[in-house]
C-alpha cells in the first residue's frame, strides 16, 4: 500500500446499508431499455372515416389521439421515435411508390412542436373538405403495401430502435372483402412483421349503423398481448375510450427484472416483476454551455489530496469505523459480504389472506407475471398456483432477493383475478401483488395516552357529518395541479401560444357544495362539541412581548398572562385541556411557574391541580 492511498479510503456509510441502491435496478434490463422505442400511427382515410357518427368524425378522433401521443412522448420520452401514415387516399407520396398510401405524412423521427401544429390543422371545422381536396379518397389500396411501408420506415431509420409498434386506426372490419388475394397477402405480411419483432395493434372504431366484427379479417392480422388472453376489446365509440386504449398500448410493458420463483427442490418457474404505478415527476433540467447552448457532459475524477494525482478505481479502498478504528476493505470483500444468495423468489409457505394487515405497508407493492422466455411452461404453473391461492384464500410467503448483493426481504404474494370492463378491456391483470413485509425492527409499539372520550351525542353528530360528506375517491380523477401547470407552460412556449391553457385544480374543496350538502350537520356538530363563541380555527397562544417595547411592557405582559389564565381555567373546568397542543400547555406551565413533567398527561394533571379541578 502506498503512502498516499491511506488518505483516500472511501467511507462506506451507505455501502453496508441493506437498502443501498434500491431494489429496482437490473443492469441487463437497463441495457435493453437504452434502445429507442418507435411507434407508427396508421390512419384509414376512406370516406367512411369522415362520416359523422354520434356527433364525432372518426378521422378527427384519430388525429386527436395522435396529438395526445405526441404531447405525451415529448414529456415522458422525447428520445422515442414516432411516425404517421395515411392510407386509402387518392394521392400517393412514399419512398416505395405504393399507390393509395399517402405519405408517410410524418417520417419516423423525434416528436416536436411543429408536428403537433401540423396535425392540429386537421381538427379545424373545414379540415374535412380541405383533406378531400388535397389528398382525396380511394378504396383501391392494399393493406399489404401499408404494412410494407411501415416495415421500410423502421428499416431505414438511422436511430438504434428497440421496440417497434404499429397502431392501425380504422372503422372498416373487412378492408378487402371482394379480393381474397389481397387479404391473404396482408395476413402473410403481418406474420412476417411479427417474426421480426414488429407488433401490430388494432385501434378499431365503431362504424355507423353496424357492429365491427374483428373475426372477419383482423383477428389474423394483429397480435394480442399475453395479458389480453386472446380477447379483443369492443370498438371505441367515444374519444375517451379510444384515447384510453391508445395510451395503454403506447407504452411498452417493461419488467423491472425477471426472477426464478422456486416452489420446491427442482420445481421453479420464471416470473417478471413490474411496477404497476409510479409517481409522475417534472422533467429534469439539462445543463447547457452558455456560449454554444450545447449539452454539458459531466465527468467525475478523484484526485489525491496530497499529490494531486488522479486516482484509479483500484487505488481507492473502503472502510468502516469500528471501535474508533478504520477497518479497511477491498471492494470485492464488500461485495462478498453483501451477497446473501442468488436473485430469486423462494417459497417459504402459505398464510391466510387475512394475516396480511394494512399496517404492514412499508413500500409500494410490485406485480408478478409469468415469463415464458426464462422458463418454458411458467404460464401453466403460474396459473395453477394463482387459481388455487384464490380458491383457498391464502397468500404465498416468499423470500425475495431482487438482485445480486441486495438484502433479502420477506414478501407476501397477494393473488388477483383478471377483471374486464363492459367493453372487454382489461381493468386488472391476473397475477400476484408483491407485498413487502416488515422485519421486527420496522414496527414500533406505541403507548397511547388517556384522552377524554366523546359523548354519545357527539359521536352521533360526527357520524352524520361523515355520512353526508362521504364520496367515492379515485386517484385517476385528480391530476397533480403543479405538474399540469408546469407542462401547460412548456407546451405554450413550444407551440408559440399566446398564453397557456387554464389548469383546473381539482384538489380545491368545493366549499359551496359542502355547505349545501352538510352545512346543517356541521353546525350541529360544532354546537355539540365546542362551547358558545369558541373558534376552533384559532390557536391558543400566549402573547409575546415585542422586541424593543420599553414602556408599558410589564403591564401588557401582565394583561396577556391574565387573559391566558382565564381561558386556561375555563378549558380545565370543561375538561378540554387534552385538546390543546403540548407547546401551548408547556408555555402556560412555564408562565405560571408550575413544576411538572414534560409529557402531555403530566402537563394536563398539573394544570388541573393548579386550578383545583
Amino acid at each position: 500500500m502506498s503512502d498516499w492511498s491511506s488518505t483516500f479510503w472511501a467511507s462506506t456509510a451507505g455501502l453496508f446499508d441493506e437498502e443501498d441502491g434500491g431494489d429496482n435496478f437490473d443492469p441487463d434490463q437497463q441495457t435493453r431499455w437504452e434502445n429507442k422505442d418507435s411507434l407508427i400511427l396508421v390512419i384509414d382515410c376512406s370516406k367512411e372515416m369522415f362520416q359523422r357518427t354520434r356527433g364525432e368524425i372518426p378521422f378527427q378522433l384519430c388525429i386527436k389521439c395522435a396529438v395526445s401521443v405526441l404531447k405525451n412522448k415529448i414529456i415522458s420520452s422525447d428520445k422515442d421515435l414516432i411516425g404517421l401514415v395515411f392510407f386509402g387516399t387518392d394521392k400517393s407520396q412514399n419512398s416505395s411508390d405504393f399507390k393509395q398510401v399517402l405519405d408517410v405524412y410524418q417520417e419516423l423521427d423525434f416528436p416536436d412542436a411543429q408536428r403537433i401544429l401540423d396535425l392540429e390543422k386537421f381538427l379545424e371545422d373545414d379540415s374535412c373538405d380541405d383533406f378531400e381536396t388535397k389528398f382525396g379518397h380511394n378504396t383501391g389500396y392494399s393493406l399489404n403495401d401499408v404494412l410494407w411501408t411501415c416495415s421500410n420506415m423502421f428499416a431505414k431509420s438511422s436511430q438504434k430502435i428497440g421496440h417497434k409498434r404499429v397502431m392501425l386506426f380504422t372503422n372498416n372490419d373487412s378492408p378487402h372483402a371482394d379480393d381474397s388475394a389481397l387479404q391473404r397477402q396482408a395476413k402473410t405480411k403481418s406474420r412476417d412483421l411479427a417474426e421480426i419483432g414488429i407488433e401490430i395493434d388494432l385501434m378499431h372504431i365503431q362504424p355507423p349503423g353496424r357492429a365491427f366484427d374483428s373475426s372477419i379479417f383482423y383477428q389474423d392480422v394483429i397480435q394480442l398481448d399475453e395479458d389480453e388472453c386472446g380477447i379483443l376489446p369492443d370498438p371505441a365509440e367515444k374519444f375517451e375510450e379510444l384515447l384510453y386504449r391508445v395510451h395503454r398500448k403506447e407504452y411498452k410493458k417493461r419488467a423491472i427484472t425477471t426472477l426464478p420463483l422456486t416452489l420446491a427442490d427442482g420445481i421453479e418457474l420464471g416470473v417478471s416483476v413490474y411496477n404497476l404505478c409510479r409517481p409522475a415527476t417534472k422533467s429534469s433540467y439539462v445543463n447547457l454551455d452558455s456560449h454554444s447552448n450545447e449539452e454539458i457532459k459531466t465527468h467525475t475524477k478523484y484526485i489525491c489530496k496530497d499529490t494531486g494525482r488522479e486516482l484509479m478505481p483500484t487505488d481507492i479502498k473502503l472502510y468502516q469505523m469500528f471501535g474508533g478504528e478504520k477497518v479497511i476493505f477491498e471492494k470485492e470483500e464488500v461485495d462478498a459480504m453483501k451477497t446473501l444468495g442468488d436473485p430469486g423468489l423462494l417459497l417459504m409457505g402459505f398464510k391466510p389472506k387475512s394475516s396480511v394487515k394494512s399496517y404492514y405497508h412499508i413500500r409500494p407493492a410490485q406485480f408478478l407475471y409469468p415469463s415464458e422466455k426464462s422458463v418454458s411452461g411458467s404460464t401453466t404453473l403460474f396459473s395453477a398456483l394463482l387459481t388455487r391461492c384464490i380458491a383457498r384464500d391464502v397468500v404465498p410467503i416468499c423470500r425475495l432477493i431482487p438482485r445480486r448483493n441486495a438484502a433479502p426481504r420477506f414478501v407476501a404474494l397477494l393473488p388477483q383475478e383478471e377483471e374486464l370492463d363492459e367493453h372487454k378491456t382489461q381493468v386488472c391483470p391476473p397475477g400476484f401483488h408483491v407485498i413487502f413485509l416488515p422485519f421486527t425492527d420496522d414496527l414500533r409499539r406505541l403507548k397511547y395516552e388517556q384522552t377524554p372520550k366523546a359523548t354519545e351525542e357527539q359521536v352521533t353528530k360526527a357520524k352524520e357529518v361523515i355520512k353526508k360528506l362521504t364520496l367515492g375517491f379515485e386517484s385517476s380523477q385528480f391530476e397533480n395541479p403543479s405538474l399540469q401547470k408546469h407542462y401547460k407552460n412548456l407546451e405554450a412556449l413550444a407551440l408559440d401560444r399566446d398564453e397557456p391553457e387554464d389548469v383546473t385544480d381539482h384538489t380545491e374543496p368545493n366549499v359551496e357544495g359542502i355547505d349545501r350538502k352538510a352545512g346543517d350537520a356541521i353546525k350541529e356538530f360544532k354546537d355539540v362539541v365546542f362551547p358558545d363563541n369558541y373558534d376552533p380555527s384559532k390557536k391558543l397562544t400566549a402573547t409575546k412581548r415585542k422586541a424593543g417595547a420599553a414602556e408599558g411592557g410589564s403591564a401588557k405582559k401582565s394583561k396577556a398572562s391574565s387573559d391566558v389564565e382565564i381561558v386556561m381555567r375555563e378549558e380545565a373546568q370543561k375538561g378540554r385541556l387534552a385538546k390543546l397542543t403540548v407547546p401551548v400547555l408547556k408555555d402556560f406551565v412555564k408562565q405560571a411557574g408550575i413544576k411538572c413533567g414534560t409529557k402531555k398527561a403530566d402537563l394536563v394533571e398539573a394544570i388541573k391541580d393548579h386550578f383545583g379541578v
Side-chain angles (χ1 to χ4, degrees), residues 397-417:
I397 305 297
C398 299
R399 185 197 68 178
L400 168 65
I401 301 180
R403 55 185 170 78
R404 196 169 298 280
N405 299 341
R409 303 285 318 199
F410 282 117
V411 297
L413 305 185
L414 189 66
Q416 174 177 278
E417 287 186 282

Side-chain angles (χ1 to χ4, degrees), residues 82-348:
I82 188 167
L84 180 64
V85 174
F86 293 151
F87 73 93
T89 56
D90 194 42
K91 297 180 181 177
S92 167
Q93 183 181 350
N94 56 80
S95 59
S96 303
D97 291 331
F98 291 128
K99 300 301 181 184
Q100 288 81 44
V101 180
L102 176 74
D103 259 354
V104 184
Y105 183 73
Q106 291 180 352
E107 291 284 352
L108 196 62
D109 206 345
F110 302 121
D112 57 33
Q114 187 57 47
R115 290 186 162 214
I116 296 175
L117 293 173
D118 290 343
L119 288 179
E120 285 182 343
K121 295 177 182 177
F122 291 111
L123 301 178
E124 297 172 359
D125 294 338
D126 56 350
S127 61
C128 296
D129 296 334
D130 292 342
F131 187 93
E132 186 167 1
T133 303
K134 186 175 181 181
F135 303 121
H137 307 287
N138 195 313
T139 58
Y141 61 86
S142 167
L143 200 58
N144 173 64
D145 295 344
V146 175
L147 298 179
W148 192 285
T149 299
C150 295
S151 177
N152 289 343
M153 291 173 67
F154 287 126
K156 293 178 181 178
S157 175
S158 59
Q159 304 293 328
K160 188 176 182 181
I161 299 177
H163 182 237
K164 303 172 184 176
R165 186 187 292 271
V166 175
M167 283 189 183
L168 180 61
F169 295 82
T170 184
N171 64 355
N172 183 5
D173 54 5
S174 182
H176 302 307
D178 300 328
D179 195 330
S180 58
L182 288 178
Q183 285 191 348
R184 188 169 56 254
Q185 290 174 7
K187 294 175 182 178
T188 302
K189 187 61 182 178
S190 68
R191 288 192 290 269
D192 294 341
L193 295 187
E195 289 177 0
I196 60 176
I198 299 177
E199 298 179 22
I200 303 174
D201 293 319
L202 179 63
M203 298 293 124
H204 49 312
I205 303 170
Q206 183 69 42
R210 59 186 178 86
F212 189 104
D213 187 359
S214 58
S215 63
I216 297 176
F217 175 74
Y218 281 107
Q219 70 175 8
D220 298 323
V221 174
I222 62 173
Q223 302 94 36
L224 293 172
D225 290 341
E226 292 179 2
D227 57 3
E228 291 178 324
C229 302
I231 301 175
L232 189 67
D234 293 334
E237 297 183 11
K238 300 178 181 179
F239 169 67
E240 291 76 14
E241 296 174 8
L242 184 62
L243 184 62
Y244 172 72
R245 202 167 295 166
V246 169
H247 283 174
R248 287 188 75 247
K249 291 287 188 178
E250 178 188 348
Y251 298 103
K252 174 67 175 175
K253 298 179 181 67
R254 290 167 166 167
I256 297 171
T257 185
T258 299
L259 300 170
L261 170 55
T262 304
L263 303 181
D265 291 339
I267 302 178
E268 68 176 33
L269 62 150
V271 292
S272 294
V273 185
Y274 296 87
N275 271 338
L276 293 185
C277 60
R278 59 182 180 182
T281 58
K282 296 179 182 178
S283 53
S284 58
Y285 296 100
V286 178
N287 293 322
L288 303 177
D289 186 294
S290 59
H291 300 291
S292 62
N293 269 359
E294 294 292 329
E295 185 176 345
I296 296 174
K297 293 184 178 180
T298 304
H299 183 66
T300 303
K301 291 183 179 181
Y302 292 95
I303 307 297
C304 176
K305 180 179 178 181
D306 296 334
T307 64
R309 174 182 171 184
E310 182 180 350
L311 300 179
M312 303 302 291
T314 54
D315 298 328
I316 300 175
K317 297 186 182 296
L318 311 170
Y319 74 86
Q320 184 82 12
M321 295 300 297
F322 185 81
E325 297 289 334
K326 290 181 179 178
V327 184
I328 312 304
F329 298 95
E330 298 286 347
K331 188 177 184 301
E332 293 75 14
E333 293 176 319
V334 174
D335 292 340
M337 284 187 287
K338 294 172 65 178
T339 301
L340 296 172
D342 294 328
L345 282 156
L346 176 62
L347 179 65
M348 310 298 292

Side-chain angles (χ1 to χ4, degrees), residues 469 471 473 477-482 485 503-515:
L469 293 183
L471 52 85
F473 176 81
Q477 297 176 349
F478 299 90
E479 295 177 329
N480 185 332
S482 177
K485 185 175 181 180
V503 176
T504 304
D505 185 357
H506 294 288
T507 63
E508 288 285 345
N510 184 357
V511 180
E512 293 182 0
I514 292 174
D515 187 60

